[in-house]
């Protein structure tokens, strides 16, 4: 018999369902921002994305769990989403690489899952009223009012800094390439191969493995540094370029990192994605704001303002750049066709650019992979 579970929102709305994954007691509920993702596949990559730290993830796809979980389809060392919300959960899985069920995987990571939820109703509620804090607990006779109070105590994602929690603590080198279908492995570059390449320093605000793989594939020698590295520590690596990664939380809380970025803007070519895009925006004098319910999924249309081509993109963010806050020197290079928000910016004179979406698309479409090549060309031509 399945254990009962409850999802409660800060505004008092609640949903009853069945528990899978970790069994979380009502005395110590899991609290986070309730958000939704419209991707049709890739749930393991999504929940292991550090950008989802502090969030309870609702999947709009009707059935989750069919392909199980494995040790390869991960984007970080562990699950970062604080909870998983689905309509129908399948404990039975079928995939040649699968090693365990999603429920088992969540349980090992002490993450609760709740199924049999009317996810359409939940998503419509979040769409109309905005993403908000919520709580998940398991068991019978749960005190809903207590969970509502816990959710309200958590406040809002505004003002929250999760970057310190998800960033690496020490510098490390990356040598892994994307998955090779023939050998069924992630190939590794040798030390001699790496030394011939331009050196890229990537600041880790919650960086995903596939971003690092694609940066390596395009031709960089990659060194990853902690998020709060100083300009002096970055310069000590003698980099040819700087990469600002994705990550969780409110970009307005990261002014120390913004100051370091601003100091290095005139020295190095810089490429930022997602949170890195928002940090670069602030370093260029712009501001950010919280979206009502954010952009999360693998089907967001973005217009490249230079080529007039439309890209279908993978997105994961709850904050955006204020268009009017940017100076006239900064080009708005990409625009979201759903709501006209800023999706990319560039300053050709300073040799910096960024996009709000995830060009590495793990999971998602590959329309934007060319941005890695553009960055490599910018760096090589700058040498």
């Amino acid at each position: 018999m399945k254990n009962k579970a409850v999802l409660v929102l800060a505004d008092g709305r609640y949903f009853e369902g069945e528990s899978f994954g970790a069994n979380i007691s009502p005395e110590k509920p899991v609290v986070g921002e309730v958000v939704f993702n419209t991707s049709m596949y890739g749930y393991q990559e999504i929940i292991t994305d550090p950008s989802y730290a502090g969030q309870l993830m609702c999947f709009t796809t009707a059935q989750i769990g069919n392909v199980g979980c494995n040790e390869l389809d991960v984007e970080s060392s562990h699950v970062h989403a604080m909870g998983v919300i689905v309509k129908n959960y399948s404990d039975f899985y079928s995939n040649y690489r699968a090693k365990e069920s999603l429920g088992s995987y969540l349980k090992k990571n002490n993450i609760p899952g709740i199924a049999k939820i009317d996810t359409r109703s939940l998503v419509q509620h979040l769409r109309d009223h905005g993403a908000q804090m919520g709580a998940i607990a398991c068991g019978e006779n749960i005190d809903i009012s207590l969970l509502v109070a816990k959710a309200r105590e958590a406040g809002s994602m505004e003002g929250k800094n999760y970057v310190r929690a998800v960033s690496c603590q020490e510098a490390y080198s990356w040598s892994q390439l994307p998955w090779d279908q023939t050998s069924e492995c992630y190939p590794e570059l040798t030390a001699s191969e790496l030394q011939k390449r331009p050196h890229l320093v990537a600041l880790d605000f919650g960086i995903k493995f596939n971003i690092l793989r694609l940066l390596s594939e395009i031709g960089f020698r990659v060194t990853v540094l902690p998020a709060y590295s100083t300009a002096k520590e970055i310069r000590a690596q003698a980099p040819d370029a700087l990469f600002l990664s994705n990550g969780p939380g409110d970009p307005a809380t990261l002014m120390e990192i913004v100051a370091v970025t601003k100091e290095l803007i005139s020295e190095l070519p810089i490429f930022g994605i997602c949170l890195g895009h928002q940090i670069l925006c602030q370093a260029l004098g712009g501001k950010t704001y919280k979206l009502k319910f954010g952009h999360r999924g693998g089907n967001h249309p973005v217009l490249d303002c230079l080529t007039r081509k439309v890209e279908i993109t993978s997105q994961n963010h709850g904050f955006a750049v204020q268009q009017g806050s940017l100076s006239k020197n900064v080009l708005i290079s990409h625009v979201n066709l759903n709501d006209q928000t800023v999706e990319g910016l560039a300053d050709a004179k300073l040799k910096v650019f960024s996009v709000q979406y995830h060009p590495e698309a793990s999971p998602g479409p590959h329309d934007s992979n060319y941005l890695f090549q553009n960055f490599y060309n910018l760096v090589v031509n700058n040498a």
Side-chain angles (χ1 to χ4, degrees), residues 146-321:
L146 179 61
L147 294 187
V148 170
K150 292 281 188 182
R152 289 176 178 172
E153 285 172 10
S156 165
M157 189 59 75
E158 286 184 283
K160 286 186 167 52
N161 180 344
Y162 287 96
V163 167
R164 288 190 184 277
V166 302
S167 178
C168 63
Q169 301 303 305
E170 296 180 353
Y172 63 93
S173 298
W174 183 270
S175 59
Q176 194 178 83
L177 295 169
W179 181 260
D180 182 77
Q181 292 285 2
T182 303
S183 59
E184 292 195 347
C185 71
Y186 291 112
E188 296 279 344
L189 292 162
T190 65
S192 60
E193 289 173 323
L194 289 169
Q195 289 306 314
K196 303 172 186 176
R197 296 164 165 239
H199 187 202
L200 174 71
V201 163
L203 290 184
D204 177 14
F205 311 137
I207 200 164
K208 297 170 69 176
F209 289 162
N210 210 47
I211 293 172
L212 295 170
R213 293 183 188 116
L214 290 181
L215 288 168
S216 295
E217 181 185 45
I218 211 66
F220 287 112
R221 171 168 62 94
V222 180
T223 300
V224 184
L225 294 187
Y228 282 88
S229 297
T230 65
K232 181 179 179 181
E233 290 169 334
I234 294 170
R235 291 189 186 105
Q237 295 289 330
D240 298 300
L242 181 65
F243 179 79
L244 308 175
S245 85
N246 62 293
D250 185 349
T253 66
L254 305 175
M255 299 316 294
E256 291 177 58
I257 298 171
V258 170
V260 169
T261 304
K262 188 173 183 178
E263 186 175 343
L264 295 171
I265 275 180
S266 60
E267 299 180 23
L268 296 167
I270 299 176
F271 178 26
I273 71 166
C274 201
L275 184 63
H277 161 76
Q278 296 159 2
I279 288 169
L280 182 62
C281 154
Q282 293 177 96
L284 291 169
K287 297 181 179 179
T288 60
Y289 68 99
K290 192 176 190 304
L291 293 166
K292 186 175 181 180
F293 49 80
H295 302 157
R296 298 174 182 88
N299 52 1
H300 290 256
V302 168
L303 174 67
D304 184 325
C305 299
L306 298 177
T307 66
R308 308 306 294 177
K309 291 182 179 180
V310 176
E311 303 167 23
I312 302 303
T313 67
S314 175
Q315 305 212 1
N316 168 17
H317 61 103
F319 293 81
V321 169

